[in-house]
Amino acid sequence: MHGLIHLVLKEMVLSRFGKRCWQDVLDILHVADESEIVDVEKLYDDRFTWSCMLVAAEVIGSSMDELLRGYGAFFVMWAHAGSHTRMLASMGDAFF
């Protein structure tokens, strides 16, 4: 999985649940330096990305389905706010 997925997960957890929750995710994953998991130029094993999502869901107290739905909505807003509108436009016209 592309590191961008992890970066957006981090941004979502930080903006909606705060630094403590993000630190809890890192601690449970045994990640000492967050740069190990948010490198946007790196490809990560899908199992590791899935583990990150599962841990985030556990930490914020949501189901995996709720996390993924929230993540999808957050990703679209994040991409739009970050001037990635051209990327979104290439995926269809139903985002906005």
Side-chain angles (χ1 to χ4, degrees):
M1 197 63 64
H2 197 281
L4 180 66
I5 301 302
H6 299 171
L7 176 64
V8 175
L9 177 65
K10 171 191 169 185
E11 295 298 325
M12 182 186 82
V13 171
L14 285 173
S15 70
R16 293 187 177 170
F17 305 98
K19 290 181 183 180
R20 183 68 238 158
C21 282
W22 178 244
Q23 188 58 53
D24 289 347
V25 170
L26 295 175
D27 291 346
I28 293 168
L29 291 169
H30 304 290
V31 174
D33 179 0
E34 74 176 25
S35 66
E36 295 174 29
I37 69 167
V38 294
D39 184 345
V40 297
E41 295 183 13
K42 184 175 178 182
L43 294 177
Y44 295 88
D45 186 279
D46 289 349
R47 290 172 292 194
F48 179 68
T49 299
W50 190 249
S51 292
C52 293
M53 295 290 186
L54 286 169
V55 168
E58 176 185 319
V59 166
I60 65 173
S62 75
S63 70
M64 189 61 161
D65 186 56
E66 291 169 332
L67 176 86
L68 292 174
R69 288 180 187 276
Y71 179 90
F74 185 86
F75 181 87
V76 171
M77 291 187 300
W78 177 87
H80 181 65
S83 301
H84 299 288
T85 307
R86 287 182 63 196
M87 175 187 68
L88 294 174
S90 72
M91 296 178 189
D93 61 2
F95 284 115
F96 302 105

